[in-house]
């Protein structure tokens, strides 16, 4: 139902010497967007990691780049939840600028125990929050707990 949107200006350090966005910087920015998303749904990483001992590592990521971005461009990172699995979270990202889409990504996160370092089911409160924000559309679903 919900799309999350985060704006970010490309900084000098995000770009190569020619002023074009450097793809490793894009992934670092994307990680910050995911961190902001968790805080927005009520589970900031400092709480998840240090108190609840739950990690949310990326286990799969695909990216398609369609147009370059330049130093100073203001980009909008749209994030949608496409699927909540037993211990997985499938996200879709679309990154746009003033003249349209720049790139898109599909990302799968996993709930992991930071004590035992293995996948765990989403705790009920986290699952409830995630399922409430699953975006409607092709392939959108929530797997029962």
């Amino acid at each position: 139902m919900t799309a999350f949107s985060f704006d970010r200006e490309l900084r000098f350090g995000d770009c190569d010497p020619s002023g074009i966005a450097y793809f490793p910087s894009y992934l670092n920015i994307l990680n910050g967007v995911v961190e902001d998303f968790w805080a927005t749904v009520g589970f900031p990483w400092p709480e998840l990691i240090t108190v609840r001992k739950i990690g949310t590592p990326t286990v799969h990521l695909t990216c398609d780049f369609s147009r370059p971005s330049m130093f100073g461009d203001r980009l909008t990172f749209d994030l949608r939840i496409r699927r909540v699995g037993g211990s997985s979270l499938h996200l879709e990202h679309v990154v746009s600028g003033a003249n349209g889409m720049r790139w898109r990504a599909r990302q799968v996160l996993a709930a992991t125990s930071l004590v035992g370092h293995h996948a765990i089911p989403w705790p009920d409160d986290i699952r409830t929050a995630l399922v409430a924000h699953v975006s409607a559309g092709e392939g959108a679903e929530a797997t029962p707990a």
Side-chain angles (χ1 to χ4, degrees), residues 79-107:
L79 178 156
R80 293 181 188 276
I81 298 174
R82 288 299 181 198
R83 181 174 176 266
V84 180
S87 62
S88 65
L89 178 63
H90 297 247
L91 303 176
E92 179 180 80
H93 304 274
V94 175
V95 181
S96 302
N99 59 349
M101 188 178 75
R102 307 299 175 84
W103 63 288
R104 68 181 329 132
R106 291 198 177 246
Q107 180 180 26

Side-chain angles (χ1 to χ4, degrees), residues 38-60:
W38 280 103
T40 300
V41 296
F43 301 98
W45 277 356
E47 175 191 329
L48 281 179
I49 293 167
T50 61
V51 176
R52 295 182 71 171
K53 307 293 187 209
I54 298 172
T56 58
T58 296
V59 296
H60 185 78

Side-chain angles (χ1 to χ4, degrees), residues 92-141:
E92 179 180 80
H93 304 274
V94 175
V95 181
S96 302
N99 59 349
M101 188 178 75
R102 307 299 175 84
W103 63 288
R104 68 181 329 132
R106 291 198 177 246
Q107 180 180 26
V108 180
L109 306 178
T112 61
S113 164
L114 295 178
V115 175
H117 302 289
H118 55 79
I120 59 172
W122 291 112
D124 291 341
D125 59 336
I126 296 174
R127 167 176 279 289
T128 298
L130 295 174
V131 168
H133 295 289
V134 172
S135 293
E138 183 179 332
E141 62 183 90

Side-chain angles (χ1 to χ4, degrees), residues 2-27:
T2 308
F4 299 88
S5 186
F6 304 92
D7 289 338
R8 171 79 154 58
E9 186 174 308
L10 277 179
R11 298 180 180 126
F12 180 76
D14 299 327
C15 301
D16 66 18
S18 71
I20 297 174
Y22 189 49
F23 79 91
S25 294
Y26 263 156
L27 299 182

Side-chain angles (χ1 to χ4, degrees), residues 64-83:
D64 295 304
F65 301 96
S66 54
R67 159 181 297 171
S69 296
M70 305 298 290
F71 169 54
D73 283 355
R74 184 148 199 86
L75 301 178
T76 299
F77 287 73
D78 289 322
L79 178 156
R80 293 181 188 276
I81 298 174
R82 288 299 181 198
R83 181 174 176 266

